[in-house]
Amino acid sequence: ISFSSSCGALLHGQSCLSSCKPGFMGAATQLQCENGILKGLPPVCIGSLCSLEGIVIGTGLDTSDCLGKRTSESCTLKCQRGYTPVGQPNLTCQSNRRFRSEGFQCLPKPCGDLSAVPSFASSAVGNSCSGLAFGQVCAAFCEIGWQIQGNASVIVCDDTGDASQGFAQYFTENRSYLPAERTQPP
């Protein structure tokens, strides 16, 4: 119920005021007691727009479902591609026009071991890709004693799946990415 009233213990012919509860907007209305029954219309109360103020909007967090929500309405936080959700994603707009957060966050997905990708498994290929998470960049290169053909490979910890251990190779000439399992090292 989005309204309240001061209508307790009225006698026949007396009137009272019914108004919107905190967090709701609308004009108050008057109700009248007639033979023990309240007559009149309750106020039309509309929830106030909720604000994301106080919610930590970190990298990877998608709050789009919460835009335009009003008092008592709910929404669900999501993580963008490459991020893992941690915590309770459901929020409800409170009467103070703010969402109460339980500390939901999106953490960058970690990548695996690039040398576990068959094309990068050769002892001739080294890399600087250990311990990376989504969005971080590293390189694949020839180990000492081996001669490079072309350039070192620019590798990005992406969200490419298990066969690539999460890695993609970045090609500077056309600014494109390919999953590591579909590329060749330097």
Side-chain angles (χ1 to χ4, degrees):
I1 291 182
S2 58
F3 64 92
S4 60
S5 69
S6 59
C7 300
L10 287 182
L11 299 176
H12 176 73
Q14 291 181 321
S15 61
C16 62
L17 198 60
S18 181
S19 59
C20 296
K21 286 184 175 179
F24 292 87
M25 304 177 295
T29 59
Q30 189 168 348
L31 303 176
Q32 184 151 358
C33 181
E34 291 183 18
N35 296 321
I37 298 172
L38 282 177
K39 299 283 185 165
L41 295 173
V44 175
C45 301
I46 298 170
S48 300
L49 280 174
C50 216
S51 166
L52 288 168
E53 183 181 340
I55 301 291
V56 177
I57 303 177
T59 305
L61 182 62
D62 177 358
T63 61
S64 60
D65 188 43
C66 297
L67 300 176
K69 296 295 183 195
R70 296 180 175 274
T71 305
S72 297
E73 293 181 338
S74 297
C75 64
T76 302
L77 298 173
K78 297 178 193 117
C79 291
Q80 296 172 350
R81 180 183 156 278
Y83 292 85
T84 302
V86 176
Q88 172 55 257
N90 300 319
L91 303 178
T92 300
C93 180
Q94 306 297 309
S95 62
N96 64 0
R97 299 178 34 198
R98 292 186 180 178
F99 291 102
R100 187 174 67 223
S101 173
E102 302 296 327
F104 181 82
Q105 59 183 329
C106 298
L107 300 177
K109 289 182 181 177
C111 277
D113 179 5
L114 182 63
S115 55
V117 177
S119 57
F120 290 85
S122 167
S123 61
V125 178
N127 69 72
S128 61
C129 302
S130 178
L132 297 186
F134 181 78
Q136 293 181 308
V137 179
C138 60
F141 47 84
C142 290
E143 290 286 7
I144 295 174
W146 296 88
Q147 189 167 6
I148 195 167
Q149 292 180 348
N151 297 317
S153 300
V154 177
I155 306 293
V156 178
C157 180
D158 199 40
D159 191 12
T160 59
D162 293 341
S164 291
Q165 296 290 308
F167 289 104
Q169 186 169 348
Y170 177 71
F171 297 94
T172 55
E173 58 275 0
N174 61 4
R175 297 182 179 172
S176 65
Y177 295 88
L178 272 178
E181 85 245 20
R182 294 179 37 206
T183 65
Q184 293 299 314

